[in-house]
Amino acid sequence: MIFGLMMLAITAATDASAAPSPTAEALQADLQTAYACKEIDGRKVWKGGLAYYIQSYVYDGQSTDDATDIATDAVLPADNAPETMREFEEACLTLAPVTIKGD
């Protein structure tokens, strides 16, 4: 039984690492339903189902007045160090939306 569970865990880990990255269209749709988190280094952060998203850096001379047109970068677990992912998890931990269940 333990051997079976170990093989299942190894297979799941192998499958997860071989999973293709989401498409740009999938990430765009995910961002539209993401919820806001605490800022990291003064940049807005959102959590979606596929990735975390962070406001792109703003360089000198770029306008930041239009709140509906914010450039973002997707932060995928497969592309980042565990420490980076923990920072995003912590930023979104306390602001996760709450679902209220009816009677």
Side-chain angles (χ1 to χ4, degrees):
M1 172 109 178
I2 293 175
F3 178 74
L5 290 175
M6 288 175 55
M7 290 305 294
L8 181 61
I10 291 170
T11 302
T14 302
D15 290 344
S17 64
S21 294
T23 64
E25 292 81 15
L27 291 171
Q28 181 63 39
D30 187 46
L31 176 58
Q32 291 175 0
T33 60
Y35 65 87
C37 302
K38 289 191 235 177
E39 291 185 0
I40 296 176
D41 296 333
R43 297 164 65 194
K44 295 179 182 181
V45 174
W46 299 267
K47 183 177 189 319
L50 298 175
Y52 291 92
Y53 302 90
I54 189 163
Q55 180 181 10
S56 298
Y57 281 110
V58 176
Y59 298 99
D60 290 338
Q62 287 182 313
S63 173
T64 59
D65 295 337
D66 189 358
T68 62
D69 190 25
I70 297 173
T72 60
D73 298 309
V75 180
L76 299 167
D79 297 340
N80 290 280
E83 302 83 42
T84 301
M85 296 315 302
R86 273 193 296 279
E87 186 174 6
F88 280 88
E89 290 167 2
E90 289 173 7
C92 295
L93 184 62
T94 59
L95 297 176
V98 177
T99 303
I100 300 173
K101 295 183 180 182
D103 295 349

